[in-house]
Amino acid sequence: MDENTTKITHLKLFGLPKLLPHLKPHAPMMIGMILLGIAGSVVDIIFPKYQEYAINHFIGGNTLDTIVPFTVTYLLFLIMKIIFDMNSTYMSSKIEMYIGRDLKKKSFDHLQTLSFSYFNRNSVGYVHARVMSDTGRIGTLVSWYLMDCVWNITYMVGALAVMLRTNWKLTLIVLVVIPIVSAIVALMQKKLTDANRQIREMNSKITGSFNEGITGAKTVKTLVTEDKMYNRFTEETSGMKRVSVAESRYRGILWTSLTAASYIALALVLYRGGILNVEGVMALGTLSLFMSYAMGIMQPIRWIVNSLSQLITVQVNIERLTGLLETASDVADSEEVIAKYGDMFEPKRENWEELSGDIEFENVSFKYPDGDEYVLRDFNLKIPHGTNVAIVGETGAGKSTLVNLVCRFFEPTSGRLLIDGRDARERSQLWLHSNIGYVLQTPHLFSGTIRDNLKYGAPDATDEEIMAALETVSAAGIVKKSEKGLDTEVGEGGDLLSTGEKQLISFARAILCQPKILVLDEATSSIDTFTEQLIQNAIEKVIEGRTTFMIAHRLSTVRNADIILVVRDGVIVESGTHRELIAKKGYYHSLYTRQYEREATDSAFAEMK
């Protein structure tokens, strides 16, 4: 099969084969819904026969003979129809909710397995649209569209069979609409597909802009950029409007053309059938039967064509969702590691070894997945357990690279990273991450209480252990000054607390799980001097016995580090203790001198005020 044939086949199937494995758990419910749909459509096919009998027998024959059994059986079929419709509707609603729920869960769970590079490449709006919007549309497709598909196709096949048996010539007049409809669909399909793909992408951009406008509201107001945000949002929504109007135009042409073709066919049937009735070839009840079926199958034909256009729309959703679910992580545990240590959702903690904290870079070369230049080349470094490592450099120099490798947020391009003498890839990511405490430059707290946030890293921690961690980092005062104590709400992202309070709680959360490796990513760069001193005092307490990485911008905070790694343009250019590096009078000496002079100048100006 050549490439073009493959593309056409995929287009015809609307990406459904990729979706089928995710629907397999719901197969029993879907089969039940299909059977109910078939039963309901069979009853609908039977109803016109009652109409034919009533007209020919009761009206044409001018008699009420058999009226009682006729009425009883008609009511029985009506009751059956109601039961089938109620249950099929219930099953469809249930399937829609279950599939939507499961696809959201699968998407969210899969996102937890992806490395940082995926989130660097894709915006929040892009990911949000796949997890929320695409899963909902797919759930609707599989449930309601499947039920309607079963009913409409069953009814159309059954009605056509009866019509062919009744008068095949009149049936051909009805069938002439099918090639006309097929031609219209073939003409409009590509236009609808392209338009809907653009709509989905624009919707992701709009979602991202809206998210940025809300989360960055304070920055927008302080920078007085409301007009720029407004213009950007207006431009994106205007583009969305233009494409949506074009898509609606194509859909309107498709629907109107179909409706016109259908009613032309019906007019021809009525004209020819009327002649047959006048000539006495076809009874009035039979003509009524035929017209009921002829009008009835127009609904399935219209539904099929309308569904094709809808499927074209949902095809884009399926492509995007399955694309997300098929995205492989740049960092993944091997099958052997998962078999022994488990994965992040089902860990086998009983097989986890105790982590000491010895780290070694062995001929490590590294470049970021989306980068072309090597950040590290044949880098070697031994970091014994309990070592305090400081990583310094100017803003944007690439100070986080080593930490990203130690935490296995990225894998070495070549070479090995050894943890306690073993390649880090020989153990699970979750095992390693469970032994790491990470304090970010910009702390993030989850919505909920202080207690909730602290227990994220240690779910079984008692209130006494929580308060001890807070005391260690001098953050107990945050709890004591609040009436609700540990039950104090922190707000979305911790917005109800000051930056310093968020940083202290983040620090307490990191040490509560008793990590063997501690990472402080410029933890004091965005807080006030008083809070910085509190954290510095806490650092001296908590780094004892732990392998610590301190990413620092203020060089005065790392003078006591066991080893200082100096990064410039993404490359480690110097290493040693503070005394050794100052004595070299190299790049570190230049950085330290400039920063010391700047701090001294700032202090002098502060005293003058």
Side-chain angles (χ1 to χ4, degrees):
M1 184 180 291
D2 61 28
E3 184 180 353
N4 291 332
T5 305
T6 303
K7 287 182 179 178
I8 293 172
T9 302
H10 177 71
L11 184 62
K12 288 182 178 179
L13 293 175
F14 303 102
L16 292 175
K18 290 186 176 182
L19 189 62
L20 290 179
H22 305 291
L23 306 180
K24 190 175 180 180
H26 308 287
M29 279 196 301
M30 294 170 67
I31 292 172
M33 182 184 68
I34 289 171
L35 294 176
L36 287 169
I38 292 173
S41 63
V42 168
V43 174
D44 285 330
I45 293 170
I46 292 172
F47 276 137
K49 296 296 292 183
Y50 277 88
Q51 178 181 314
E52 178 191 26
Y53 181 84
I55 294 173
N56 288 341
H57 182 73
F58 298 126
I59 298 175
N62 196 25
T63 178
L64 293 178
D65 185 31
T66 69
I67 188 67
V68 174
F70 173 88
T71 304
V72 171
T73 54
Y74 184 88
L75 289 174
L76 286 174
F77 274 104
L78 182 60
I79 293 170
M80 290 171 60
K81 168 68 175 172
I82 293 171
I83 293 173
F84 291 148
D85 286 352
M86 286 178 61
N87 283 280
S88 62
T89 300
Y90 169 73
M91 292 290 284
S92 296
S93 300
K94 193 174 180 180
I95 290 171
E96 179 184 23
M97 290 185 288
Y98 279 27
I99 289 176
R101 177 202 65 185
D102 290 357
L103 289 178
K104 284 181 175 63
K105 185 176 184 302
K106 281 188 176 183
S107 301
F108 187 81
D109 289 351
H110 186 65
L111 285 169
Q112 310 311 304
T113 69
L114 298 180
S115 64
F116 275 15
S117 60
Y118 178 84
F119 299 98
N120 290 339
R121 294 191 303 266
N122 299 287
S123 66
V124 174
Y126 182 89
V127 176
H128 183 273
R130 274 142 192 76
V131 177
M132 302 306 295
S133 176
D134 292 350
T135 55
R137 292 180 68 88
I138 292 170
T140 301
L141 166 74
V142 174
S143 55
W144 297 103
Y145 273 71
L146 179 59
M147 183 186 73
D148 289 342
C149 178
V150 169
W151 185 95
N152 283 290
I153 291 178
T154 303
Y155 182 87
M156 186 169 65
V157 171
L160 282 173
V162 177
M163 290 169 68
L164 285 168
R165 184 177 179 182
T166 303
N167 190 308
W168 65 271
K169 292 182 180 180
L170 279 180
T171 305
L172 291 180
I173 295 176
V174 176
L175 293 179
V176 77
V177 75
I178 294 179
I180 298 174
V181 168
S182 300
I184 296 171
V185 171
L187 181 64
M188 304 305 298
Q189 184 172 356
K190 186 177 185 304
K191 292 182 179 294
L192 282 167
T193 303
D194 293 341
N196 278 288
R197 187 173 285 111
Q198 291 181 55
I199 289 171
R200 299 278 76 78
E201 295 304 320
M202 288 181 177
N203 186 59
S204 294
K205 290 182 179 179
I206 291 171
T207 303
S209 295
F210 186 81
N211 181 71
E212 287 180 357
I214 298 301
T215 57
K218 186 180 293 184
T219 303
V220 170
K221 290 185 178 299
T222 54
L223 294 176
V224 197
T225 58
E226 290 91 343
D227 58 335
K228 293 181 180 179
M229 294 296 293
Y230 172 80
N231 292 334
R232 174 185 169 188
F233 196 77
T234 300
E235 182 179 346
E236 290 174 347
T237 52
S238 296
M240 177 80 160
K241 182 200 73 174
R242 286 193 298 270
V243 179
S244 299
V245 168
E247 191 268 350
S248 299
R249 186 187 306 117
Y250 299 142
R251 193 182 300 279
I253 293 172
L254 178 63
W255 183 255
T256 304
S257 302
L258 170 63
T259 303
S262 302
Y263 281 108
I264 289 172
L266 283 175
L268 293 173
V269 169
L270 184 60
Y271 170 74
R272 182 58 187 161
I275 293 174
L276 293 176
N277 178 254
V278 171
E279 293 175 348
V281 177
M282 179 179 286
L284 184 61
T286 304
L287 177 59
S288 174
L289 166 76
F290 199 92
M291 289 303 298
S292 293
Y293 284 136
M295 294 181 67
I297 67 169
M298 289 304 157
Q299 178 182 341
I301 292 175
R302 284 195 296 269
W303 179 87
I304 289 171
V305 175
N306 186 54
S307 295
L308 286 174
S309 65
Q310 293 293 333
L311 279 170
I312 292 169
T313 303
V314 180
Q315 176 189 359
V316 179
N317 300 104
I318 295 174
E319 289 174 355
R320 300 197 317 173
L321 181 68
T322 54
L324 166 61
L325 295 174
E326 291 171 359
T327 299
S329 176
D330 296 324
V331 181
D333 292 332
S334 66
E335 293 182 3
E336 293 77 12
V337 168
I338 293 174
K340 180 177 180 180
Y341 296 101
D343 57 23
M344 64 179 62
F345 301 111
E346 295 181 1
K348 298 178 181 179
R349 296 180 184 273
E350 64 276 9
N351 295 333
W352 289 7
E353 297 92 345
E354 186 75 17
L355 189 146
S356 175
D358 293 317
I359 298 170
E360 180 178 358
F361 290 85
E362 186 179 273
N363 298 319
V364 171
S365 295
F366 174 73
K367 62 180 177 180
Y368 285 98
D370 54 352
D372 298 323
E373 297 183 1
Y374 278 91
V375 177
L376 295 175
R377 279 190 180 275
D378 299 322
F379 178 70
N380 292 278
L381 178 68
K382 288 187 177 182
I383 304 173
H385 159 72
T387 302
N388 179 11
V389 180
I391 306 172
V392 302
E394 294 181 328
T395 301
K399 299 187 291 294
S400 299
T401 299
L402 284 181
V403 170
N404 286 337
L405 291 171
V406 170
C407 296
R408 279 195 76 192
F409 295 152
F410 295 93
E411 299 278 30
T413 306
S414 63
R416 296 194 305 166
L417 173 70
L418 306 179
I419 305 290
D420 291 348
R422 289 179 58 184
D423 193 320
R425 287 168 287 202
E426 295 179 6
R427 293 171 175 168
S428 73
Q429 296 177 69
L430 186 60
W431 166 82
L432 177 59
H433 295 164
S434 297
N435 285 284
I436 294 176
Y438 207 121
V439 183
L440 296 166
Q441 176 183 0
T442 305
H444 178 81
L445 299 184
F446 299 93
S447 298
T449 64
I450 294 176
R451 179 189 288 106
D452 295 335
N453 274 275
L454 289 168
K455 294 184 74 169
Y456 265 98
D460 299 326
T462 64
D463 285 359
E464 289 73 19
E465 291 170 333
I466 290 173
M467 289 304 300
L470 290 169
E471 289 283 0
T472 301
V473 300
S474 303
I478 301 173
V479 174
K480 293 177 180 178
K481 73 179 182 180
S482 174
E483 294 181 2
K484 294 185 178 180
L486 290 174
D487 293 318
T488 301
E489 293 285 336
V490 302
E492 184 176 359
D495 286 345
L496 296 181
L497 302 177
S498 69
T499 302
E501 289 173 333
K502 286 193 290 185
Q503 191 65 284
L504 289 171
I505 291 175
S506 177
F507 198 2
R509 180 174 60 190
I511 67 169
L512 183 60
C513 59
Q514 296 299 316
K516 299 302 176 64
I517 300 173
L518 184 62
V519 178
L520 305 174
D521 189 352
E522 301 200 47
T524 62
S525 63
S526 58
I527 56 178
D528 60 87
T529 306
F530 177 73
T531 306
E532 178 184 1
Q533 187 59 52
L534 291 178
I535 291 180
Q536 288 296 336
N537 294 338
I539 289 173
E540 294 176 5
K541 300 177 186 176
V542 301
I543 64 174
E544 294 182 11
R546 293 186 172 97
T547 303
T548 306
F549 292 86
M550 297 176 60
I551 301 174
H553 179 71
R554 297 178 187 175
L555 304 185
S556 58
T557 63
V558 300
R559 285 179 295 188
N560 296 326
D562 298 317
I563 182 172
I564 300 174
L565 304 176
V566 186
V567 181
R568 184 177 189 180
D569 297 328
V571 179
I572 297 175
V573 294
E574 293 179 340
S575 63
T577 65
H578 174 73
R579 287 178 176 273
E580 291 170 346
L581 292 173
I582 290 293
K584 286 182 179 179
K585 295 187 179 297
Y587 182 59
Y588 177 82
H589 178 273
S590 174
L591 284 177
Y592 187 83
T593 302
R594 290 202 311 267
Q595 195 172 103
Y596 180 80
E597 290 174 350
R598 185 166 57 249
E599 290 177 356
T601 302
D602 292 342
S603 177
F605 274 116
E607 291 178 3
M608 290 174 62
K609 292 179 181 180

